[in-house]
Amino acid sequence: MGRLVLRRLATAIPTLFVIVTLSFFMMRLAPGGPFDQERPLPPPILANIERVYHLDESLWRQYLRYVGGLLRLDFGPSYRTKDFTVGELLLQGAPASLKVGGLAVIVATVLGLAAGITAALRQNSWVDYLTMSGAMLGIAIPNFVMAPLLSLVFGVLLGWLPAGGWGGGALPFIVLPVLALALPQVARVARLVRGAMIEQLHANHVRTARAKGLHERIVIGRHALRGALLPVVSYLGPMTAALLTGSVVVETIFSIPGIGRYFVQAALNRDYTVVMGVVIVYAALIIVLNLIVDLIYGLLDPKVRHD
């Protein structure tokens, strides 16, 4: 297992390097700049600003300067948010994104597992059809539709919960954002679990366990469910990274001061360094969570060996 971690770390560095390189040059190729305004700045002032941020240098020199800063864990200053570095903005937005995203991961995993297992155990029954119909509906409705719909129904029409805002992270303010993030993932996890669970229930080792007279709960929990979790674990890696870094749509709609909202504002303002910082954090999370998934694989499936 130690060798697996070393191999993953060895591939993570060039992977991050490629992501940083592509993101840097793609951002610079986009039209516009961080200091473009409806009323253009006078050329001398614009030249001074670009000189302060080294934007007057050649593109390759800017790239090397940026990579050198990353090696010191310095994401650089924000071009549009005065007196703040990218690291400070990410640290400010991280608690909100981690709280909402972490709760969404828990809700999606628990409800998805429960719905998928229930549908598999009652295959081709009305429970199965109803559960999978709800799952298809959850997959078909995107976040940018689900979030305002929840806000309209439960926040405006019924008045049960706040329609937006953060409120210091109080429970009433995070219920709707968590549901908006989790519901599409509940549907996907439920479909994965159902398919894998049905396959496992017809597997030879499960039939053997039943033939030995084991209790059905033991057969399902110890033998069938363990194998059914493998595809789910694979999906949980990128899903967790996406939810933890925050949904740009959900955080914008509910006015949550998280990483996703900073990303939207930075993309609109051509704040290169903030966009790059969010991309790098997201890529690093993907790599780390995929490593964790590989380690969990070895615990769930003895046939998987990490030499």
Side-chain angles (χ1 to χ4, degrees):
M1 189 169 293
R3 293 182 179 178
L4 171 68
V5 175
L6 292 178
R7 287 200 302 267
R8 289 298 188 188
L9 291 177
T11 58
I13 295 175
T15 300
L16 279 176
F17 175 77
V18 171
I19 292 173
V20 169
T21 302
L22 292 177
S23 301
F24 181 89
F25 287 104
M26 288 177 65
M27 284 293 301
R28 294 305 195 277
L29 290 176
F35 304 110
D36 291 347
Q37 301 177 6
E38 294 183 3
R39 184 177 180 181
L41 294 173
I45 295 178
L46 181 60
N48 288 333
I49 294 176
E50 290 180 344
R51 184 164 53 251
V52 169
Y53 290 105
H54 305 287
L55 296 177
D56 59 333
E57 299 177 351
S58 64
L59 195 58
W60 279 104
R61 183 177 289 275
Q62 294 180 45
Y63 169 73
L64 294 176
R65 185 184 296 277
Y66 184 76
V67 172
L70 288 181
L71 295 177
R72 303 188 302 272
L73 299 180
D74 180 11
F75 292 95
S78 171
Y79 294 148
R80 298 302 295 268
T81 306
K82 296 181 180 179
D83 301 325
F84 281 93
T85 65
V86 176
E88 291 171 343
L89 291 177
L90 293 178
L91 289 177
Q92 285 185 4
S97 292
L98 290 177
K99 186 171 186 177
V100 175
L103 290 175
V105 170
I106 295 174
V107 171
T109 304
V110 173
L111 294 184
L113 285 173
I117 293 172
T118 302
L121 295 179
R122 292 167 175 79
Q123 185 182 4
N124 297 328
S125 67
W126 68 268
V127 176
D128 184 17
Y129 295 142
L130 182 62
T131 303
M132 289 301 100
S133 297
M136 287 301 299
L137 186 64
I139 294 174
I141 301 178
N143 277 336
F144 61 82
V145 176
M146 181 69 70
L149 185 62
L150 291 174
S151 179
L152 175 64
V153 173
F154 296 101
V156 178
L157 297 180
L158 297 177
W160 292 353
L161 295 166
W166 180 234
L171 182 60
F173 288 88
I174 65 176
V175 171
L176 292 182
V178 168
L179 288 178
L181 279 174
L183 287 179
Q185 304 300 336
V186 170
R188 293 181 173 87
V189 172
R191 286 180 59 83
L192 283 173
V193 173
R194 178 187 179 273
M197 193 71 177
I198 290 175
E199 182 180 353
Q200 289 296 315
L201 290 174
H202 294 87
N204 291 332
H205 67 281
V206 174
R207 294 177 181 174
T208 302
R210 283 173 172 163
K212 291 180 178 180
L214 295 178
H215 193 278
E216 187 68 12
R217 185 177 300 174
I218 297 177
V219 173
I220 294 173
R222 184 177 300 175
H223 298 279
L225 183 59
R226 188 171 185 175
L229 287 177
L230 292 177
V232 180
V233 169
S234 297
Y235 178 70
L236 287 180
M239 182 195 81
T240 302
L243 294 180
L244 289 181
T245 51
S247 169
V248 295
V249 175
V250 171
E251 291 189 359
T252 301
I253 291 175
F254 290 103
S255 300
I256 298 174
I259 295 177
R261 190 180 178 191
Y262 285 136
F263 181 81
V264 172
Q265 295 173 348
L268 294 175
N269 295 328
R270 299 294 190 273
D271 199 342
Y272 300 144
T273 51
V274 175
V275 174
M276 289 287 297
V278 175
V279 170
I280 293 170
V281 169
Y282 181 79
L285 272 176
I286 287 285
I287 293 172
V288 172
L289 290 172
N290 282 338
L291 172 60
I292 295 174
V293 165
D294 288 341
L295 298 178
I296 295 176
Y297 250 93
L299 299 177
L300 292 176
D301 190 354
K303 293 183 294 184
V304 178
R305 291 288 182 262
H306 301 308
D307 297 327

